[in-house]
């Protein structure tokens, strides 16, 4: 079971490989099993050892374990089992709906058929900004010519890639506040064609062009969240910002475009305001290559490595992943938690069904004589079916009522784990209650159906 669970585990979950069944786990499990067996074996044994003669004589038979008290104890256990199952099912249902909502979130870019790979130029070999810019320009031209590649570009930090770069930016002429306000933003250097390669939508203004060289006036592109925060509905195109504090010596940059916000840290995280700079004006030693392809992007990974080695035989590429894999990995821990919770809820559902079936089957076997008398006096199969179903479903409904109350109280603790869904979501509670009720109905129906086939003559001779 552990190996099966670990097969679904995410790679970015710390110490996942150390999860194993060792001696301590086995000792604990053995002790828990022995204690549970002794506890639930002693209770009915004590009931049998101290019988109520008056109740036993009135019941007409002492065969039923514990008599009336035994039946009540079993009924209480079934109700508790149904209630606990509902709590687990409600938690799994909320996580499932939350995860479904998360997967529907637009990341702000198109991850399909995009290959990414990180590079790091040797600092001692590539020292001049023009030398760095020239290398990447030559590499991207070669990568763009590979068969099956639609476009190639690069960015300093890929969305959801696990790393980021942020800093202070000074904003001039910010509406509703004093001039030159300093704010904290995420910063990205991007090569020519990055927005087209990643499928980012231009909201207003223009994208970077080949005219935005190191000798040209400094420019930047911001995301719509940045624009909305600083200028509300006003047009930010042409306004100026600069990297660093207001007293810093960095040059002022002109905003030339606004793009959609990108989910930088995950589908469930909005992130900070973002600003992009042309790579030619802000060259970086470490960049992430981004290639949009016609088919499976991993199929050209070898060709990308070959082009890099053709320019510099000492430069490897690493962290080679598709953009779809990166997005999937960003929700892998949530997916694994959902898998575990759903597995436990499924086991609880199975145990509840077995428990209800066991109690109802035992009850029917103990009431064979009664059922035979009822059928001898004219009761039809439908009457017996309703009788048994009513008894089983009454326990189920009691468990559902108790479980709903407990689930509403306990699932509030999951508020921090849920995304765009309330911890008391009516649709989820209705769905899990119907599911559990349907399973319980099936567990009751099987022994109830068997009860309708009781032969009255045989049942009257049963005792």
């Amino acid at each position: 079971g552990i190996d099966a669970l670990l097969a679904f585990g995410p790679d970015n979950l710390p110490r996942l490989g150390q999860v194993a069944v060792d001696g301590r786990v086995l000792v604990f499990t053995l002790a828990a099993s022995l204690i549970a067996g002794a506890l639930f074996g002693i209770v009915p044994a004590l009931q049998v050892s101290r019988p109520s003669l008056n109740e036993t004589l009135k019941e007409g038979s002492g065969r039923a374990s514990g008599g009336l008290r035994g039946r009540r104890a079993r009924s209480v256990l079934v109700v508790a089992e149904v209630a606990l199952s509902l709590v687990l099912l409600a938690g799994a249902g909320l996580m499932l709906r939350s995860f479904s909502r998360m997967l529907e979130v637009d990341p702000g870019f198109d991850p399909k058929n995009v290959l990414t790979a990180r590079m790091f130029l040797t600092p001692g070999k590539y020292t001049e900004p023009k030398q760095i810019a020239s290398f990447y320009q030559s590499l991207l031209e070669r990568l763009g010519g590979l068969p099956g590649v639609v476009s190639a570009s690069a960015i300093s930090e890929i969305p959801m890639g696990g790393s980021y770069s942020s800093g202070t930016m000074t904003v001039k002429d910010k509406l509703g506040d004093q001039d030159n306000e300093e704010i904290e933003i995420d910063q990205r250097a991007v090569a020519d064609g990055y927005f087209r390669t990643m499928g980012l939508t231009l909201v207003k203004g223009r994208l970077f062009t080949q005219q935005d060289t190191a000798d040209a006036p400094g420019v930047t592109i911001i995301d719509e969240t940045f624009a909305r925060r600083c200028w509300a509905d006003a047009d930010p195109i042409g306004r100026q910002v600069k990297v660093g504090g207001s007293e810093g010596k960095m040059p002022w940059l002109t905003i030339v475009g606004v793009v959609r916000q990108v989910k930088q840290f995950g589908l469930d995280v909005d992130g900070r305001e973002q600003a992009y700079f042309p790579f030619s004006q802000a060259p970086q030693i470490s960049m992430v290559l981004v290639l949009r392809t016609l088919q499976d992007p991993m199929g050209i990974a070898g060709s990308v490595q070959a082009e890099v080695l053709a320019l510099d035989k000492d430069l490897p590429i690493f962290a080679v992943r598709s953009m779809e894999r990166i997005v999937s990995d960003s929700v892998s821990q949530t997916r694994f938690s959902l898998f575990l919770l759903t597995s436990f809820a499924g086991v609880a559902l199975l145990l509840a069904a077995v428990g209800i079936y066991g109690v109802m089957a035992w009850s029917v076997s103990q009431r064979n004589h009664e059922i035979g008398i009822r059928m001898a006096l004219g009761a039809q199969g439908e009457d017996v079916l309703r009788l048994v179903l009513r008894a089983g479903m009454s326990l189920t409904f009691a468990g559902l009522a108790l479980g709903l109350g407990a689930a509403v109280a306990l699932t509030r603790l999951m508020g921090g784990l849920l995304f765009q869904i309330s911890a008391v979501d009516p649709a989820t509670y209705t769905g899990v209650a119907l599911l559990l009720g349907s399973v319980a109905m099936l567990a009751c129906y099987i022994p109830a159906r068997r009860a309708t086939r009781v032969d009255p003559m045989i049942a009257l001779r049963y005792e």
Side-chain angles (χ1 to χ4, degrees), residues 116-412:
T116 70
R118 179 167 284 280
M119 286 189 59
F120 193 88
L121 301 185
T122 307
K125 187 174 183 180
Y126 297 88
T127 57
E128 298 296 328
K130 289 186 177 180
Q131 186 184 17
I132 297 172
S134 175
F135 174 85
Y136 277 109
Q137 182 178 357
S138 300
L139 176 61
L140 292 178
E141 288 176 356
R142 296 174 70 105
L143 295 179
L146 289 175
V149 174
V150 177
S151 60
S153 187
I155 183 172
S156 55
E157 301 294 344
I158 200 73
M160 305 184 194
S163 59
Y164 64 96
S165 175
S166 64
T168 301
M169 176 166 277
T170 301
V171 181
K172 180 185 289 189
D173 298 329
K174 179 177 178 293
L175 293 185
D177 212 328
Q178 61 181 356
D179 290 349
N180 303 340
E181 180 177 348
E182 298 177 5
I183 64 174
E184 188 77 9
I185 64 162
D186 289 329
Q187 304 171 352
R188 309 282 180 268
V190 298
D192 185 43
Y194 171 77
F195 299 103
R196 179 170 63 90
T197 301
M198 285 292 288
L200 267 73
T201 303
L202 178 67
V203 177
K204 61 178 59 178
R206 68 171 178 86
L207 299 177
F208 297 136
T209 66
Q210 294 182 351
Q211 282 69 45
D212 296 318
T213 62
D215 300 325
V219 293
T220 184
I221 292 175
I222 63 175
D223 72 346
E224 53 189 348
T225 306
F226 192 152
R228 191 162 46 247
R229 172 181 174 180
C230 295
W231 295 285
D233 296 329
D235 189 357
I237 303 300
R239 299 183 184 270
Q240 292 189 314
V241 296
K242 71 174 180 178
V243 176
S246 57
E247 302 300 326
K249 298 181 179 180
M250 297 296 291
W252 288 99
L253 309 175
T254 301
I255 298 174
V256 297
V258 178
V259 296
R260 290 189 59 195
Q261 186 191 36
V262 168
K263 296 290 185 180
Q264 182 66 32
F265 305 107
L267 295 176
D268 58 339
V269 182
D270 289 333
R272 285 183 293 229
E273 294 78 8
Q274 300 165 2
Y276 301 88
F277 312 109
F279 178 75
S280 56
Q281 295 182 355
Q284 308 283 321
I285 288 181
S286 177
M287 295 289 284
V288 179
L289 304 176
V290 180
L291 291 82
R292 180 166 293 279
T293 64
L294 294 174
Q295 296 178 342
D296 179 19
M298 296 304 297
I300 65 167
S303 300
V304 173
Q305 175 69 85
E307 293 297 333
V308 173
L309 295 178
L311 289 178
D312 189 331
K313 61 182 179 60
D314 297 323
L315 291 180
I317 60 174
F318 55 97
V320 181
R321 297 177 293 173
S322 69
M323 200 65 223
E324 288 181 298
R325 174 64 183 273
I326 293 176
V327 174
S328 177
D329 287 346
S330 71
V331 296
S332 58
Q333 293 193 21
T334 302
R335 185 190 301 112
F336 187 55
S337 299
L338 173 62
F339 173 74
L340 290 178
L341 186 56
T342 303
S343 299
F344 297 149
V347 172
L349 180 64
L350 177 62
L351 290 176
V354 171
I356 295 172
Y357 171 80
V359 168
M360 295 312 300
W362 177 257
S363 176
V364 168
S365 69
Q366 294 300 300
R367 299 177 67 179
N368 268 355
H369 189 67
E370 173 198 340
I371 293 173
I373 294 176
R374 289 177 181 272
M375 298 186 73
L377 293 176
Q380 300 298 313
E382 293 79 3
D383 301 321
V384 175
L385 187 66
R386 282 195 298 268
L387 175 70
V388 178
L389 287 178
R390 187 184 303 115
M393 293 308 294
S394 63
L395 298 179
T396 301
F397 289 137
L400 291 177
L402 183 62
L404 284 173
V408 169
L410 294 176
T411 52
R412 291 181 181 274

Side-chain angles (χ1 to χ4, degrees), residues 78 81-82 85-86 89 345-360 389 392-393 395-397 400 430-448:
V78 169
E81 200 166 34
V82 171
S85 299
L86 183 63
L89 285 171
V347 172
L349 180 64
L350 177 62
L351 290 176
V354 171
I356 295 172
Y357 171 80
V359 168
M360 295 312 300
L389 287 178
M393 293 308 294
L395 298 179
T396 301
F397 289 137
L400 291 177
T430 302
V432 297
L434 289 175
L435 173 62
L436 186 53
S438 300
V439 172
M441 174 70 79
L442 179 62
C444 292
Y445 178 80
I446 297 174

Side-chain angles (χ1 to χ4, degrees), residues 59-74:
E59 289 169 4
S61 173
R63 292 180 301 102
S65 176
L68 180 60
R69 286 182 298 177
R71 289 196 294 272
R72 286 175 177 171
R74 286 191 294 273

